Amino acid sequence: SQTIHQWPATLVQPVGSPLSLECTVEGTSNPNLYWYRQAAGRGLQLLFYSVGIGQISSEVPQNLSASRPQDRQFILSSKKLLLSDSGFYLCAWSRGGASISPLHFGNGTRLTVT
Amino acid sequence: KQEVTQIPAALSVPEGENLVLNCSFTDSAIYNLQWFRQDPGKGLTSLLLIQSSQREQTSGRLNASLDKSSGRSTLYIAASQPGDSATYLCAVRSAQGGSEKLVFGKGMKLTVNP
């Protein structure tokens, strides 16, 4: 069966510090991978998605970047965090090449920028 | 641009009631619609996925229906229990904007009182 791992679960970082959140998927190959952010009072905002190694699509221009160094690894990064980067970050995957495939989420990372 | 709406934003009911949660979308050319549950501080758990060719899906006490022509889906919860308390989100995957992405509603917070 497929599983998705996301870490850390919580993170408190000062403004201006770097960020690296990691997500890995097990039990499947060539998945589509996604980073979402959920801010208080707002819906889920798609930040990045990837359909393959090195292929990253950015949905919202901002202070963040994403990379996919391996087939089942997706990393969300920032060089300098802003207060507005605080939120709940969720990684997700779906079966690659199948628009009918369901989306599965990790447990999320609660990021607080102070 | 696909937009997904969930009304009301919150609902509080006594235990035992049969519930109907609503989801509407603006573009009926969808691949599928997915219902999720989110507990506080947690990731999203997939409940039901309805493909565009289907009218409904059932899992235990949950039944989801889809009416593409009217741009609506409902999630029916039978005999609600306090453990059903959570935020329920619907999301659609449509051809508009690329099939790799889902568009989410903002969710409906359900409280079932014992």
Side-chain angles (χ1 to χ4, degrees):
Chain A
S1 63
Q2 300 87 8
T3 56
I4 179 169
H5 302 281
Q6 187 180 342
W7 67 92
T10 60
L11 191 60
V12 180
Q13 293 283 98
V15 169
S17 64
L19 173 72
S20 180
L21 302 181
E22 188 165 344
C23 173
T24 60
V25 180
E26 296 178 357
T28 188
S29 296
N30 195 32
N32 293 337
L33 296 172
Y34 308 80
W35 279 111
Y36 282 87
R37 178 170 61 197
Q38 189 176 38
R42 302 174 67 180
L44 268 76
Q45 180 185 35
L46 179 62
L47 302 176
F48 302 95
Y49 70 93
S50 171
V51 299
I53 295 175
Q55 300 179 60
I56 309 295
S57 296
S58 174
E59 289 297 298
V60 183
Q62 55 202 326
N63 188 41
L64 302 170
S65 62
S67 62
R68 184 171 177 173
Q70 300 181 41
D71 181 43
R72 290 169 290 176
Q73 184 184 30
F74 205 23
I75 298 173
L76 183 69
S77 303
S78 174
K79 292 182 179 179
K80 289 185 178 181
L81 284 168
L82 307 172
L83 285 174
S84 59
D85 291 324
S86 293
F88 192 48
Y89 289 82
L90 291 156
C91 181
W93 76 274
S94 66
R95 200 171 302 280
S99 58
I100 63 174
S101 173
L103 196 65
H104 303 278
F105 282 84
N107 287 329
T109 295
R110 174 72 60 189
L111 172 65
T112 303
V113 182
T114 60
Chain B
K1 178 183 176 183
Q2 178 73 273
E3 294 182 358
V4 179
T5 304
Q6 293 183 251
I7 296 174
L11 184 64
S12 181
V13 299
E15 181 178 6
E17 283 202 3
N18 298 323
L19 306 174
V20 176
L21 282 61
N22 297 304
C23 173
S24 61
F25 46 95
T26 54
D27 182 359
S28 61
I30 66 171
Y31 291 113
N32 55 49
L33 184 145
Q34 195 168 356
W35 281 95
F36 296 88
R37 167 187 173 136
Q38 185 176 29
D39 293 292
K42 302 294 186 181
L44 278 67
T45 299
S46 180
L47 296 174
L48 290 165
L49 173 73
I50 309 178
Q51 304 295 351
S52 62
S53 59
Q54 297 174 322
R55 298 277 301 178
E56 63 179 280
Q57 281 286 329
T58 299
S59 176
R61 293 184 295 110
L62 304 179
N63 175 276
S65 66
L66 175 64
D67 184 344
K68 277 200 315 177
S69 61
S70 65
R72 292 181 181 177
S73 175
T74 60
L75 178 67
Y76 177 82
I77 303 177
S80 59
Q81 303 170 358
D84 294 328
S85 298
T87 296
Y88 291 80
L89 298 96
C90 68
V92 298
R93 189 191 296 258
S94 62
Q96 189 184 79
S99 63
E100 299 84 4
K101 298 171 288 186
L102 269 68
V103 178
F104 281 82
K106 292 187 176 181
M108 194 212 75
K109 183 177 181 180
L110 173 66
T111 303
V112 181
N113 301 299

